[in-house]
Amino acid sequence: MLKTYSDEELLKQPVGYWTGVAQELVVGSINDTLGTMGIRQPQWWVLNLINRSDDGLTRAELPAGLRHHVDSSVTDSVADDLTGRGWLAEGRDQRLRLTEEGSAALATLWERVPQTLARIRAGFSDAEYVQLINLLRRVVDNLDGHSDLD
């Protein structure tokens, strides 16, 4: 059960500490779920990005599509990893596309990930979750970061 503190006590709390702890726990929980299939978030983001593309993506196109999710310096190694697993194939046109195995793995992950996301959101109404995201976006915007949803 969440312990209750006065507003005065909470106003003294460092936002950097609490956002850092939350980020570490959220990413760790998601990576634990993804780890059941032997991957982590960078592979997850690449699989989803390619899955949403109409006709695959080239390696050169990956960094732009993942600029807010994955360090661009790792996209080639992530693509290599997923190709090595047989989850992506690179065609003669140099476009990466999901294989049948990759589509099946992504479908399995999408069966598991919502349970983790539900655990993260437990106890939040939809309105509270929207408020949380908007408050965090405002912090990002205040510090001149990218606060858009794209």
Side-chain angles (χ1 to χ4, degrees):
M1 187 72 180
L2 188 65
K3 188 174 177 181
T4 305
Y5 294 94
S6 70
D7 288 357
E8 187 175 280
E9 290 173 296
L10 293 172
L11 284 169
K12 294 177 185 175
Q13 291 297 301
V15 69
Y17 169 77
W18 290 108
T19 55
V21 169
Q23 191 264 352
E24 185 177 309
L25 291 168
V26 167
V27 171
S29 294
I30 292 168
N31 277 332
D32 286 347
T33 299
L34 299 174
T36 63
M37 298 282 293
I39 67 166
R40 297 179 62 77
Q41 275 192 321
Q43 289 91 345
W44 168 250
W45 285 111
V46 167
L47 287 170
N48 281 289
L49 179 65
I50 291 174
N51 188 53
R52 287 191 308 269
S53 69
D54 290 330
D55 193 32
L57 295 169
T58 65
R59 288 171 183 265
E61 292 169 327
L62 288 177
L66 298 168
R67 69 188 174 280
H68 302 298
H69 305 290
V70 176
D71 181 340
S72 63
S73 68
V74 303
T75 56
D76 271 339
S77 64
V78 169
D80 288 342
D81 174 65
L82 294 170
T83 301
R85 291 172 187 271
W87 292 5
L88 293 180
E90 194 164 4
R92 288 187 191 137
D93 59 359
Q94 297 183 332
R95 300 188 79 71
L96 295 163
R97 295 176 182 85
L98 287 176
T99 62
E100 286 184 34
E101 294 85 359
S103 293
L106 189 58
T108 298
L109 287 165
W110 270 113
E111 291 170 3
R112 297 175 186 177
V113 167
Q115 296 164 359
T116 302
L117 299 178
R119 182 172 170 229
I120 292 166
R121 284 187 58 176
F124 286 92
S125 68
D126 287 349
E128 289 172 321
Y129 187 77
V130 167
Q131 182 180 24
L132 173 63
I133 297 303
N134 277 322
L135 290 170
L136 292 170
R137 288 180 57 236
R138 191 179 320 158
V139 169
V140 170
D141 192 65
N142 286 346
L143 298 172
D144 300 322
H146 181 83
S147 59
D148 293 345
L149 298 181
D150 63 353

